[in-house]
Amino acid sequence: MGNLVAIVGRPNVGKSTLFNRLTKTRHAIVSDVAGTTRDRQYGKCEWNGKVFSVVDTGGWVVNSDDIFEEAIRDQVKIATEEADLVLFLVDVQTGVTDLDSDVAQILRKTKLPVILVSNKTDNNDQQYYAADFYRLGLGEPICVSAVSGFGTGDLLDMIIEKLSFDKKGEVEENIPRFAVVGRPNVGKSSIINAFIGEDRNIVTDVAGTTRDSIYTRYDKFGFDFYLVDTAGIRRKNKVSENLEFYSVMRSIRAIENSDVCILMIDATRGIEAQDMNIFQLIQKNRKSLVVVVNKWDLVENKDQKVIDTFTSAIRERMAPFVDFPIIFASALTKQRIFKVLETAKEVYLNRKVRIGTSKINEVMLPIIEATPPPSIKGKYIKIKYCTQVPDTQIPTFVFYANLPQYVKEQYKRFLENQIRDHWTLTGTPINIFIRQK
């Protein structure tokens, strides 16, 4: 199961900088403007062959002073409910503040491992000041400087030591795993209940190693798969301000542990920013996608024109990835519920498509010859040969060229679209690599 590490702390202690350092990203995310773009607050970190996910809670605070501190407390609570480990960042140059003490009070109550990180320790003298943080009651502060990278290796060793990397429960590998995701109140649990029906005897629950990701084995009407269900029953604490953050934290684990994501959208509300956040998580994890427009029974006018408008609006928002199925359904009336399962199964099989090398060259080489990559600085790029790489998570194609570094993103997209036109890869992302021949 994926391990999730949350970075918490008050503003300007360097959460984003540490996030960039751990995930090795250098996005234009660090700036003094509050609320910089949000899809960059989630990434993966690899250390000594172990991989875990990192969430920077910093980008999710609603910036207005009266609810500001409350929002941070809210987030810390959500983080302790959803993560496997919390990094509590404090700033050695300012010392302990009231808000730090508040956060520490929440963290002392949790059963999770918490690592207290004293950031901005830029020289040796400052390491002595870090002793002040012992009074937060969270053990020894680890001194780091996220900017220079000082101490981050030791921090990573410590994180790996505290996380558990045991294998998945008793989940069989070759059976598809479907996750139903979407923002709160879109009808996720209703659709899961509609799938499973009342005959609970067909269902075996395999508890995941993480706290409440449960795989439900489902086997009837010729469908055999696991539902990755993270909608654990839990008290809804008042997270109105942080609903987006809450739904993203809720979705991460389900998405990471699945093959196909069934993204639910509310027909009565259209596609919203929160839907896009979850869509970006699915994209980042290279998972297959089926979009379900739920509550279709509540839409009064259901003619083809409405369906077309809805469909193109969804595809427009999610471009450039547009090759995925959209199903209009209702969990309440069970309308097209099985269509959702059928489609998810097809999309899963599309992930496994293998195209023979001679076949792909026969189709693609004439197309490439007719529309070669644009020449750059008078150099002509020739693509001589292509093949699909065996045994990859998603279909992966390699094109061998004389000057691979000159093939632009646009042309790769052109190649991807041509492959999609000739073979059925609906719903699944594909990788295209250009290599030196």
Side-chain angles (χ1 to χ4, degrees), residues 189-206:
S189 28
S190 323
I191 204 166
I192 289 171
N193 290 344
F195 286 158
I196 293 170
E198 292 314 300
D199 356 355
R200 291 267 164 180
N201 55 354
I202 50 162
V203 170
T204 53
D205 281 351
V206 181

Side-chain angles (χ1 to χ4, degrees), residues 28-312:
I29 167 181
V30 186
S31 72
D32 300 335
V33 184
T36 10
T37 45
R38 290 181 174 183
D39 63 328
R40 307 221 170 97
Q41 260 84 24
Y42 159 81
K44 290 208 168 33
C45 172
E46 186 179 345
W47 185 249
N48 289 345
K50 302 269 201 287
V51 179
F52 57 89
S53 305
V54 189
V55 175
D56 163 21
T57 61
W60 298 90
V61 170
V62 182
N63 207 8
S64 105
D65 295 336
D66 49 334
I67 50 169
F68 184 61
E69 301 196 350
E70 193 181 328
I72 289 172
R73 286 186 207 103
D74 253 3
Q75 263 177 350
V76 173
K77 284 184 190 127
I78 296 169
T80 57
E81 287 182 358
E82 298 300 333
D84 297 295
L85 180 143
V86 174
L87 296 180
F88 176 26
L89 225 58
V90 288
D91 177 348
V92 72
Q93 297 176 9
T94 33
V96 177
T97 68
D98 290 351
L99 193 51
D100 288 333
S101 305
D102 286 358
V103 172
Q105 191 179 353
I106 298 169
L107 293 177
R108 284 196 302 270
K109 290 181 190 149
T110 170
K111 296 180 176 58
L112 281 189
V114 175
I115 300 177
L116 178 60
V117 183
S118 162
N119 191 24
K120 306 191 186 177
T121 315
D122 299 329
N123 58 40
N124 286 344
D125 293 351
Q126 288 171 338
Q127 292 191 37
Y128 300 118
Y129 296 128
D132 187 27
F133 295 118
Y134 273 105
R135 63 193 170 103
L136 292 173
L138 290 166
E140 181 184 352
I142 304 298
C143 294
V144 306
S145 163
V147 171
S148 71
F150 164 78
T152 45
D154 295 347
L155 174 61
L156 281 162
D157 286 343
M158 202 163 170
I159 293 173
I160 296 292
E161 194 183 305
K162 288 184 188 288
L163 290 174
S164 65
F165 288 92
D166 47 355
K167 283 285 157 248
K168 296 191 179 76
E170 307 126 47
V171 176
E172 288 178 47
E173 276 308 301
N174 54 355
I175 291 176
R177 298 191 298 264
F178 298 162
V180 177
V181 293
R183 50 194 172 68
N185 306 331
V186 70
K188 295 190 291 293
S189 28
S190 323
I191 204 166
I192 289 171
N193 290 344
F195 286 158
I196 293 170
E198 292 314 300
D199 356 355
R200 291 267 164 180
N201 55 354
I202 50 162
V203 170
T204 53
D205 281 351
V206 181
T209 44
T210 22
R211 279 148 319 154
D212 56 359
S213 214
I214 292 182
Y215 289 106
T216 306
R217 177 79 175 264
Y218 175 107
D219 192 350
K220 74 177 183 191
F221 305 124
F223 295 113
D224 184 8
F225 61 90
Y226 287 108
L227 264 180
V228 186
D229 179 11
T230 50
I233 301 159
R234 74 147 47 106
R235 52 184 182 75
K236 282 274 188 285
N237 51 10
K238 50 174 198 333
V239 279
S240 52
E241 285 309 330
N242 272 323
L243 208 54
E244 275 183 72
F245 177 62
Y246 180 72
S247 61
V248 164
M249 286 293 279
R250 272 328 260 138
S251 311
I252 287 174
R253 197 175 264 124
I255 291 170
E256 287 183 351
N257 293 324
S258 68
D259 301 305
V260 179
C261 295
I262 298 170
L263 173 61
M264 298 189 64
I265 290 174
D266 186 331
T268 59
R269 302 181 57 167
I271 192 163
E272 301 182 329
Q274 231 168 316
D275 301 315
M276 289 307 295
N277 280 327
I278 295 173
F279 171 69
Q280 274 153 357
L281 287 176
I282 296 169
Q283 282 284 87
K284 255 187 191 144
N285 279 293
R286 312 296 280 148
K287 299 299 183 186
S288 301
L289 173 69
V290 175
V291 170
V292 175
V293 180
N294 190 28
K295 307 189 184 173
W296 193 236
D297 53 308
L298 300 178
V299 175
E300 311 228 316
N301 177 6
K302 297 189 182 58
D303 62 19
Q304 195 54 43
K305 199 171 164 202
V306 174
I307 291 179
D308 293 345
T309 314
F310 223 109
T311 304
S312 58

Side-chain angles (χ1 to χ4, degrees), residues 307-324:
I307 291 179
D308 293 345
T309 314
F310 223 109
T311 304
S312 58
I314 292 174
R315 294 205 197 282
E316 236 161 73
R317 287 294 297 274
M318 296 186 178
F321 179 46
V322 291
D323 187 14
F324 55 83

